Amino acid sequence: TRIAIIPIRITISGEAGSGKSTVADIIANKLKLKRHSTGDYMRTMAAARGVTIIELNKIGETDPSIDKELDNWQKNLEKKKAESFVLDSRLGFHFIPSSIKIFLEANLNVRAERIYDDQRLVEENTTLKKTIENIKKRQHLERERYKEKYGIDYLDFSKYDLVLDTTNMSPQQVAEKIILFVKKNHSRY
């Protein structure tokens, strides 16, 4: 008899600056899972076009092929039936229905400080005040776009299996809580 191995798929969504990428890295390392990231994929898309990630996002506002490519990439992850992974993606919960769906939130000022301190994002976040403005604008635009395009609200917490406020937690503490949740709720453990 063959024993079916049930893959572990964890999608981590959340607000900008809530710690999605860092936490996804920790979880992937601790559980020895492959890690995917829409942010990394978008950086690859931007580099292939010779533009920055910010320019790619602007192009994506009017060119539907950007979202389509990103959506198809995520849909293809879902089709890899035996692959276990962690996906850092705002809409991962939607494209990977087989996943354990996690949402990270945090206080706006804390998120702004995290983003402002992240050297990858200096182009658009020149001051802490500007960073707060950018976060608010981005969240509003993304929320409206996702509602219009997919009919979903990524800020509807009922779509997730676990919602964590990371304001006063280290990335390691957040990862540990998620790992405990996964081990308690996944048949593989």
Side-chain angles (χ1 to χ4, degrees):
T1 52
R2 288 181 48 182
I3 297 171
I5 297 185
I6 301 166
I8 297 173
R9 279 124 178 247
I10 303 167
T11 51
I12 301 179
S13 182
E15 300 170 317
S18 61
K20 295 181 308 300
S21 299
T22 305
V23 169
D25 283 339
I26 295 168
I27 291 169
N29 286 331
K30 288 196 181 245
L31 295 180
K32 303 204 180 336
L33 299 174
K34 194 167 191 172
R35 182 197 182 283
H36 298 289
S37 163
T38 54
D40 291 348
Y41 191 79
M42 286 185 73
R43 278 184 265 290
T44 301
M45 288 171 62
R49 289 167 174 78
V51 298
T52 67
I53 190 101
I54 295 159
E55 291 167 332
L56 183 71
N57 277 322
K58 283 187 177 29
I59 294 166
E61 289 173 13
T62 56
D63 180 353
S65 73
I66 304 295
D67 279 344
K68 187 173 182 169
E69 182 177 339
L70 193 58
D71 296 353
N72 287 337
W73 173 73
Q74 291 181 89
K75 288 174 186 173
N76 285 332
L77 289 176
E78 174 68 12
K79 290 177 186 171
K80 295 178 182 178
K81 293 296 178 201
E83 187 177 313
S84 292
F85 57 82
V86 177
L87 172 62
D88 155 21
S89 167
R90 189 106 53 240
L91 295 180
F93 73 93
H94 175 70
F95 288 109
I96 315 293
S98 66
S99 69
I100 296 172
K101 300 160 191 69
I102 311 295
F103 186 90
L104 304 181
E105 62 176 340
N107 170 279
L108 177 61
N109 291 331
V110 170
R111 293 188 293 125
E113 287 172 19
R114 291 173 181 168
I115 290 171
Y116 183 68
D117 291 341
D118 187 336
Q119 293 306 301
R120 294 173 306 162
L121 307 167
V122 291
E123 292 178 46
E124 59 185 9
N125 299 307
T126 51
T127 66
L128 196 55
K129 184 178 179 203
K130 182 81 173 145
T131 304
I132 289 171
E133 290 170 16
N134 286 339
I135 290 171
K136 287 179 177 177
K137 186 167 101 181
R138 176 180 170 188
Q139 186 163 303
H140 174 75
L141 290 171
E142 285 179 343
R143 193 173 189 188
E144 292 306 308
R145 195 166 108 228
Y146 300 155
K147 280 181 185 175
E148 183 183 316
K149 185 166 184 175
Y150 307 104
I152 56 172
D153 180 1
Y154 80 99
L155 295 176
D156 173 0
F157 293 164
S158 71
K159 304 216 181 290
Y160 302 96
D161 301 310
L162 178 66
V163 177
L164 290 173
D165 184 335
T166 68
T167 302
N168 297 310
M169 296 169 66
S170 71
Q172 290 76 16
Q173 289 170 316
V174 176
E176 284 304 319
K177 281 190 179 286
I178 294 169
I179 290 168
L180 280 172
F181 182 82
V182 168
K183 287 183 174 183
K184 199 162 115 182
N185 293 285
H186 195 282
S187 59
R188 182 161 147 182
Y189 289 102

